[in-house]
Amino acid sequence: VYGNISYTKNNLYHREDGPAVILRDAKTGVAKREGYYLDDEIHREDGPAAIDRDPETGTLIWEAYYSNGKVHRVDGPAMVGYNLDGSRISEFYYVNGEYHREDGPAIIQYSRTGKIRKKQYFVNGCEIPNGRGLAKKAKKMKLLLDLAKECGIHLVIPEKT
């Protein structure tokens, strides 16, 4: 018999040295889902905070990175889906809970053969419909704004609506 495990502190999911929630498959005992929480917020600094595995094989099928309850990762995709053979199905890039990637698509979906079948570009949660060209322009604009600030030039950019 296999059981689920949860760690709490003051009735909140909380564990500092491992997953706070572990859900096991009743037949195989495989940890099919793990969640890392601090004070009831999904969070992990040194790896994915949410992990799903195939209940039969234990093969990784989904991982997601969170920081303080928000989907977040700056050095790679924040969410990745996998086929049972380990190849990627999808990648999602997030920063502070918003789709964001300056050097490529923020959403990538792959075919079974590994070819990209869909890609979408986002910067700070705003979709860039023209793809990579506008994403590069957005990155250049940020560099120009940083340079202007460094040189004491005050520019006002309207907030996104």
Side-chain angles (χ1 to χ4, degrees):
V1 177
Y2 302 101
N4 298 324
I5 300 170
S6 62
Y7 296 84
T8 61
K9 176 181 166 187
N10 300 323
N11 291 323
L12 303 173
Y13 289 127
H14 183 89
R15 186 174 178 202
E16 295 179 15
D17 60 350
V21 177
I22 303 169
L23 303 178
R24 295 194 178 279
D25 184 80
K27 292 180 184 176
T28 64
V30 168
K32 60 184 180 178
R33 176 163 292 163
E34 295 179 14
Y36 290 73
Y37 290 82
L38 293 176
D39 298 319
D40 223 32
E41 275 193 331
I42 191 162
H43 175 85
R44 186 175 179 197
E45 293 182 16
D46 61 350
I51 301 166
D52 287 352
R53 291 185 175 78
D54 177 75
E56 296 293 320
T57 65
T59 303
L60 179 67
I61 56 174
W62 183 257
E63 61 182 350
Y65 292 72
Y66 286 83
S67 179
N68 301 313
K70 291 183 178 180
V71 185
H72 176 81
R73 187 176 182 198
V74 293
D75 61 349
M79 293 181 164
V80 182
Y82 298 94
N83 288 305
L84 289 177
D85 66 6
S87 62
R88 291 185 176 191
I89 297 172
S90 56
E91 298 177 9
F92 301 91
Y93 290 77
Y94 283 85
V95 173
N96 295 319
E98 294 186 320
Y99 287 125
H100 179 82
R101 188 174 181 202
E102 294 177 3
D103 61 350
I107 298 174
I108 306 169
Q109 294 179 342
Y110 299 94
S111 69
R112 289 259 180 218
T113 62
K115 291 186 179 185
I116 294 175
R117 65 178 183 87
K118 180 180 179 183
K119 55 187 173 178
Q120 291 176 266
Y121 295 79
F122 288 81
V123 174
N124 296 326
C126 294
E127 186 170 6
I128 310 296
N130 195 18
R132 190 176 179 100
L134 286 178
K136 281 185 178 180
K137 287 178 185 174
K139 186 174 184 179
K140 287 179 184 176
M141 178 62 79
K142 182 183 180 317
L143 291 173
L144 287 172
L145 290 172
D146 289 346
L147 180 60
K149 185 177 180 181
E150 194 174 299
C151 294
I153 301 169
H154 181 69
L155 299 174
V156 178
I157 306 296
E159 292 291 319
K160 69 178 183 179
T161 56

